[in-house]
Amino acid sequence: MIADPIKAIEATKQLVAAVPLLGGSASEKDYRDALALVDYLIDHDDENPLIDLLAASIADYEDNSKRFAEFNKSVDEMPVGVALLRTLIDQHKLSYSDLKEEIGSKSLVSQILSGQRSLTISHIKALSHRFGVKPQWFL
């Protein structure tokens, strides 16, 4: 048992008062404040255990907020290969034309990312070679 449960309870109350999202607040302001606090902690004290607590509360807010419902639905419906390709494009700061060798025209890349067309086996092989990832990650 905690040596001083009264002290722990008081500290918890103070923490929730300072960061209401940790107490289950559904306020967008509290959500944004929590995001800003995570950024601050990562820059100034990246080993602070508060980061993990905030990350869990932020994830819960994003999973349950009406504001994110449409986004979450589109992510759930997105094929894994398309989600991976979007992430790789973002991480490598690529334009659609940068994928000409692997996929083809910008319009074809756009059609794949919008779900109008699917990645072919040759696309997957070329993309996995370019980015050094396993081909099955696109399936």
Side-chain angles (χ1 to χ4, degrees):
M1 179 150 174
I2 296 176
D4 190 350
I6 302 299
K7 188 175 179 181
I9 292 168
E10 187 56 36
T12 302
K13 287 179 183 178
Q14 290 177 355
L15 181 59
V16 169
V19 188
L21 194 72
L22 291 174
S25 171
S27 158
E28 184 168 341
K29 179 192 179 309
D30 293 340
Y31 164 74
R32 291 189 182 281
D33 288 348
L35 288 173
L37 181 54
V38 168
D39 286 341
Y40 177 85
L41 289 170
I42 288 171
D43 289 342
H44 295 91
D45 186 8
D46 65 350
E47 298 293 321
N48 192 309
L50 183 55
I51 294 171
D52 292 332
L53 295 171
L54 286 166
S57 292
I58 289 167
D60 185 56
Y61 178 91
E62 291 172 348
D63 288 344
N64 296 303
S65 171
K66 289 180 183 179
R67 177 175 171 240
F68 290 98
E70 186 176 327
F71 173 78
N72 291 337
K73 182 180 177 192
S74 69
V75 168
D76 289 342
E77 293 172 352
M78 186 182 302
V80 173
V82 172
L84 175 57
L85 182 56
R86 285 183 179 276
T87 301
L88 291 167
I89 288 171
D90 185 52
Q91 287 179 342
H92 293 270
K93 297 178 178 27
L94 301 174
S95 68
Y96 292 2
S97 60
D98 292 330
L99 297 171
K100 184 174 182 158
E101 295 296 317
E102 294 79 16
I103 295 178
S105 69
K106 292 189 294 187
S107 64
L108 180 55
V109 174
S110 177
Q111 289 173 348
I112 289 169
L113 292 175
S114 69
Q116 296 172 338
R117 302 274 304 266
S118 297
L119 288 168
T120 66
I121 297 299
S122 61
H123 296 151
I124 291 171
K125 286 179 181 178
L127 290 166
S128 67
H129 177 74
R130 175 175 183 166
F131 295 108
V133 298
K134 296 178 181 180
Q136 57 265 35
W137 290 1
F138 287 98
L139 302 175

